Amino acid sequence: MSASRLPLPRRLVFWQPIVSPHQRDFLEALAAAFPGEVTLAAERGLPEERIAMGWPPVVHDRVRVVDASQPEAFERTLRHDGPDTLHLFSGFFSHAIVWRAFRRLVPSAARLAMISEAPEQRPATGWIKRLRGRWLVRRYAPRLEFALVMGAVGRRFFEATGFPTEKIVPFGYFLPVPERPWPPAPPQTEAGGPVRFLAAGQFIRRKGFDLLVEALAGLPAEGWECTIRGEGPWRRRLERASRSVATRLRLPCPVPNAELRAEIAAADRVVVPSRHDGWAMLVNEALVAGTPVICSDACGAADLIDAPAAGVVVRAGDVAALTAALRGAITEGRVDGARRVAAHEVAARHGVAAAVATFLTTIGGTP
């Protein structure tokens, strides 16, 4: 029986590695719309390294949060093992407590589903993850009602593992979208001056900032400036690579999310050049602020860029294509108010409300 034909469960339990700000708004909106109880069972709170990157602390109001690392709380949550409860698992590929909960519930009468990004698949080791994925699908797919997969990147991975296509539900991470772009773009963004590019994230290989620096080196000497905000083990590598464009490129440290959102609103393009990104929340934040995006097709959030006003998607790892997209943005010039409104309208179509409606429809409810 498909998930859409089953009765609406009385209880939802989300098993996750951390209490994530990327899921907070969706879970709160879902708890407001769902007639039963919504529980979040997490292995841990927000990690210190994420706090250092500017991630905001997470406080839930409507969702009941359980510390799954505590044995008593773990066992108490597992007692909800009847058909009136739907358990949804995120990250059991790599997180022991989530995996243990899933294995314990497989023989029960509880309803089970999965929420997952595609894992990073490097050329040398990606085959191991694909092989493991195929093994998990063969063993457990019949027990799962559906999988909420993050973007086309996630869908391609799960299709390649043999997961039943009729059980794959396209999904993502979403933000609430106000009536107008937020925070308000400062007046100077509509004036002349250099086009402002902004990127942000960990300075690691998969984020692709070295590719961005290489692409920037191919741009004209004038008419643009770029900020790549972040920290990580690749800082020195990026600093060395950026010497040829040092007068137009800054590599500042992370700031709190509220400050980063103000910078997003002041930018003319947000650039997400990742070699792999299960989602990339920066895309959501840019569109909600009305800032167009240049994004690689290896990001789950590339699905959000479905109209010219939202930006462009380029092939991951293709420096020439990235350079061409940056050059095109320089030619277009500063982003005016009309373009920002149009980008914001794209965000509105992909906001939290749409995610809640998709979810409720999937589990047999009415949004």
Side-chain angles (χ1 to χ4, degrees):
M1 183 182 292
S2 69
S4 62
R5 294 179 185 173
L6 291 172
L8 189 69
R10 292 173 51 195
R11 181 182 298 104
L12 305 174
V13 180
F14 290 82
W15 296 85
Q16 295 182 358
I18 65 172
V19 181
S20 171
H22 293 172
Q23 284 282 56
R24 192 265 175 195
D25 293 309
F26 164 70
L27 291 177
E28 283 293 309
L30 177 61
F34 181 67
E37 177 185 291
V38 178
T39 296
L40 169 59
E43 286 193 9
R44 58 188 298 202
L46 193 60
E48 290 296 327
E49 63 269 20
R50 298 295 183 181
I51 295 173
M53 290 173 55
W55 285 27
V58 183
V59 178
H60 279 284
D61 300 317
R62 296 183 175 91
V63 176
R64 177 172 170 266
V65 179
V66 172
D67 182 354
S69 69
Q70 299 298 314
E72 290 185 7
F74 179 80
E75 293 296 332
R76 187 167 55 250
T77 307
L78 287 179
R79 292 189 194 116
H80 299 300
D81 58 358
D84 61 342
T85 301
L86 173 63
H87 292 263
L88 301 104
F89 299 87
S90 300
F92 64 60
F93 283 102
S94 54
H95 291 81
I97 292 177
V98 178
W99 173 244
R100 190 160 72 246
F102 175 74
R103 290 286 302 275
R104 288 276 300 275
L105 287 165
V106 164
S108 77
R111 298 168 60 179
L112 308 182
M114 180 171 59
I115 305 175
S116 185
E117 303 174 0
E120 183 180 10
Q121 302 167 71
R122 295 193 182 190
T125 59
W127 67 272
I128 298 176
K129 294 183 179 179
R130 292 190 292 272
L131 182 63
R132 186 185 183 206
R134 287 195 288 270
W135 176 81
L136 288 168
V137 164
R138 283 198 300 271
R139 183 161 186 175
Y140 295 114
R143 186 65 180 86
L144 293 165
E145 288 186 12
F146 58 88
L148 300 176
V149 301
M150 302 305 178
V153 174
R155 177 180 51 76
R156 288 194 295 268
F157 174 79
F158 279 94
E159 287 178 344
T161 67
F163 196 87
T165 56
E166 67 274 12
K167 291 186 177 184
I168 296 175
V169 180
F171 211 63
Y173 298 111
F174 303 97
L175 291 173
V177 182
E179 293 184 5
R180 297 178 182 177
W182 58 250
Q188 62 266 29
T189 60
E190 297 188 21
V195 169
R196 299 173 181 174
F197 298 116
L198 174 68
Q202 293 175 284
F203 291 172
I204 56 178
R205 179 187 181 277
R206 71 176 180 82
K207 288 295 186 178
F209 294 137
D210 57 319
L211 305 173
L212 174 55
V213 172
E214 185 178 350
L216 293 171
L219 296 180
E222 303 293 337
W224 63 273
E225 58 187 41
C226 182
T227 297
I228 307 177
R229 187 175 284 286
E231 193 53 87
W234 273 38
R235 171 171 284 282
R236 289 189 178 181
R237 182 192 296 255
L238 294 176
E239 288 174 344
R240 288 194 300 269
S242 66
R243 287 171 183 165
S244 63
V245 291
T247 60
R248 298 180 299 283
L249 173 62
R250 297 170 58 245
L251 299 169
C253 292
V255 292
N257 189 253
E259 294 181 35
L260 178 62
R261 287 180 174 184
E263 294 184 4
I264 290 170
D268 296 293
R269 293 291 189 285
V270 161
V271 187
V272 186
S274 303
R275 289 181 171 88
H276 170 80
D277 225 318
W279 185 251
M281 201 69 173
L282 191 63
V283 176
N284 300 69
E285 293 176 319
L287 295 179
V288 172
T291 301
V293 183
I294 298 171
C295 181
S296 87
D297 63 0
C299 298
D303 286 16
L304 304 184
I305 305 173
D306 59 2
V312 296
V313 177
V314 299
R315 189 172 64 180
D318 189 335
V319 175
L322 182 55
T323 303
L326 295 168
R327 194 183 295 269
I330 295 170
T331 299
E332 291 180 8
R334 304 302 303 278
V335 177
D336 61 19
R339 177 70 181 274
R340 290 192 182 278
V341 169
H344 176 265
E345 289 175 349
V346 173
R349 288 193 282 103
H350 299 290
V352 162
V356 169
T358 296
F359 182 86
L360 291 176
T361 300
T362 299
I363 65 172
T366 55

